[in-house]
Amino acid sequence: MTEPARAIRVLLADDETMIRHGVRLILRHADGIEVVAEAPDGRQAVESAAAHRPDVVLLDIRMPVCDGLAAIAPLLALDPAPRVVMLTTFGDDDNVVRALRAGAAGFLLKDEGPQELISAVRAAAAGDAVLSPGVTGAVISRMLRAGGAQDADGGRADERIARLTGREREVLAMLGEGLSNQDIAARLGIGIGTVKTHVGAILDKTGSTSRVQAALLAHRTGLAS
């Protein structure tokens, strides 16, 4: 008999009790997701993550004692490292950019709906970037302005795009939209495994170290807008 899949373990860190309560209630009713710990600040989030080994940490940016930005590095230094998704409010683009550069897997607006929250947790656990559509455009624009014309490997963006096949360009454009592997698979009518293969090839051929970097490349070259 096939063993049931292990539930995605989530740690929730937010200094607002009502936010934690609301998120916990939403995730409690989601299949395959378990909230294993909560924390009111970044320092306790790191301590709880070390003790409970979550797969995903939902991390508020603005918290007392130790804010979410300061907690990213010690969370990612854990073994195994959790996927860190920032909880943010509209207009906090500068801090979101800092979080992404520090290694966060993405960001989610606090006023997103229950299904968006559940999908974000599942996407992060699956290795996808979590890019809340409500602020993705503004965040990408800020990162592009800060990044300059050259890419991380010193090559021009259009030269890196030239290495991709036509289907890989299609997938890259969808990464720029913030779509998950599941969403891309549904739009293209292909399997999730095939999407993962394309994403791996895109990261390898373009020298991108993450889906967020690939999304930036898509916007820089006009594949996504």
Side-chain angles (χ1 to χ4, degrees), residues 117-201:
L117 172 63
I118 293 169
S119 296
V121 168
R122 289 176 175 158
D128 288 351
V130 177
L131 305 175
S132 185
V135 289
T136 294
V139 169
I140 292 292
S141 294
R142 285 176 183 266
M143 294 186 79
L144 288 175
R145 287 199 299 271
Q150 297 291 328
D151 293 305
D153 67 353
R156 301 288 305 185
D158 54 356
E159 294 173 354
R160 298 167 72 189
I161 289 295
R163 305 166 190 167
L164 304 179
T165 65
R167 177 47 63 92
E168 288 165 356
R169 293 188 188 199
E170 287 184 88
V171 173
L172 177 58
M174 294 177 196
L175 292 180
E177 295 178 42
L179 298 186
S180 68
N181 285 351
Q182 185 173 357
D183 292 333
I184 295 171
R187 182 177 293 188
L188 294 178
I190 59 179
I192 292 180
T194 302
V195 175
K196 290 181 178 179
T197 298
H198 287 316
V199 171

Side-chain angles (χ1 to χ4, degrees), residues 24-73:
R24 184 175 67 249
L25 283 179
I26 291 170
L27 295 181
R28 177 182 295 171
H29 297 288
D31 291 337
I33 297 176
E34 176 187 7
V35 177
V36 296
E38 298 180 27
D41 60 64
R43 183 175 65 189
Q44 290 191 41
V46 175
E47 293 172 354
S48 293
H52 294 278
R53 299 181 178 275
D55 302 300
V56 177
V57 175
L58 298 177
L59 188 64
D60 186 23
I61 290 181
R62 300 177 183 272
M63 291 185 290
V65 183
C66 171
D67 66 21
L69 294 173
I72 294 173

